[in-house]
Amino acid sequence: MRPPMKPLKALDDALAELLAQAAPLPGTDTVTTFDADGRVLAQDCVSALQVPPQDNSSMDGYAVRCADVAAAGVVLPVSQRIPAGSAGASLQPGTAARIFTGAPVPAGADAILMQEDCEALAAADGLGSVRINAVPQVGQWIRSAGEDITRGAVVLAAGTRLTPAELGLAASIGLHQLQVARRPRVALFSTGDELVMPGEVPPEQMRPGAIYNSNRFFLRAMLLRLGCEVTDFGIVPDRRDATIAALRDASAAHDLILTSGGVSVGEEDHIKPAVETLGTLDLWQIAMKPGKPFAYGQIPREEGAAHFMGLPGNPVSSFLTFALLVRPFVLRLQGVLDVAPQSIAARADFVWPRADKRREFLRVRHNAAGGLDLFNNQSSGVLTSAAWGDGVVDNPAGQTIAAGDTVQYIAFSELLA
């Protein structure tokens, strides 16, 4: 007699339980700012200066005193020329200074006139003069000292995942090295005697029941995008002793062991008893579609324990459970606090008449009219839907969708970055 089925676990509850186990990993790395893209800051970046360091011009033009230009047509002698990277002298009353973008505004000047509003007048000697054809306002085209960053400000907080913009910001306050969280070490393997690696057997020679191992490729790529160091343990045979040996080897030097396949309840699914031989495991049935079976456990080692996560074998199920459960967990291991993907409201240009008791993630993509089209086959084994789409509709349990309805859309760029 089979044991009674456990109730389905809500996706949000499953994620909360996982994140409660995801203590940031010990240790940090010091890397150059050039090499820090995608890494996670381990300490605050505090500015030792203000940016910009002094008032500077945001235009090529002329620095003036507004009191000297009461009306258009005034002609002022040009007393100095100030390129970027040099400092000018104080601006004397009744004169103008030729100035270029980024150059410090000379003391005494309170406005910049862009050169399109001025007419340079040649002279036999000196810098000539300039006719001002517009009346300036105090402060125009001047970037104030410290308007971007003030001295002592926390410019980037610990836990920030660095992007090109953050790298530029760190460089703007003079940081050439950054303290970042160390990379999670992840062991990856697949289970299943039906799996074959591309390149080992040509398609025309595949034995009946065999399939190519696609999960291994997208899971490795997703882990690398998250900054992980990945060790590929290959395909483990559907034998308990082989599964136990692979888990024991993987747990010794890795923070996380990630598998796909073998987390169902059939006789050939050996993950649960194998992990329980070495440590602890919870086998969950999650109320999401696709992606119902999921396993989490821990395997003790000399220092602490290695986390274990088992994903379903169907490729779209594996893809989405990684994106929605493993990705936030891996980010939290690196100290990232905000790990939730952002959804936006969008218009459905399709009909979904079949409500499901599970929360559904429907593969869609934007069309030329700004709405969302639905891939015609939403099966958990159809990986074409993920390659075709640009995101998913997060559809609540029990919800049908009519054309024109507003739905919640999560871009793959949110789930794969």
Side-chain angles (χ1 to χ4, degrees), residues 297-313:
Q298 294 185 358
I299 298 176
R301 57 189 182 190
E302 288 188 9
E303 293 185 6
H307 300 283
F308 172 85
M309 290 187 178
L311 305 180

Side-chain angles (χ1 to χ4, degrees), residues 178-245:
L178 299 170
Q179 287 289 115
V180 295
R182 74 165 175 84
R183 296 184 185 276
R185 297 186 292 264
V186 181
L188 175 66
F189 63 83
S190 305
T191 63
D193 290 339
E194 76 279 12
L195 297 176
V196 175
M197 284 300 292
E200 293 180 353
V201 180
E204 63 273 12
Q205 295 179 19
M206 290 280 278
R207 67 182 187 276
I211 59 173
Y212 287 121
N213 185 358
S214 60
N215 295 13
R216 186 167 163 188
F217 287 83
F218 65 70
L219 292 175
R220 180 178 182 275
M222 294 164 90
L223 287 166
L224 291 174
R225 287 190 177 198
L226 293 171
C228 299
E229 295 178 358
V230 181
T231 305
D232 191 339
F233 278 69
I235 299 170
V236 176
D238 273 333
R239 300 196 320 271
R240 187 170 301 183
D241 61 336
T243 306
I244 291 172

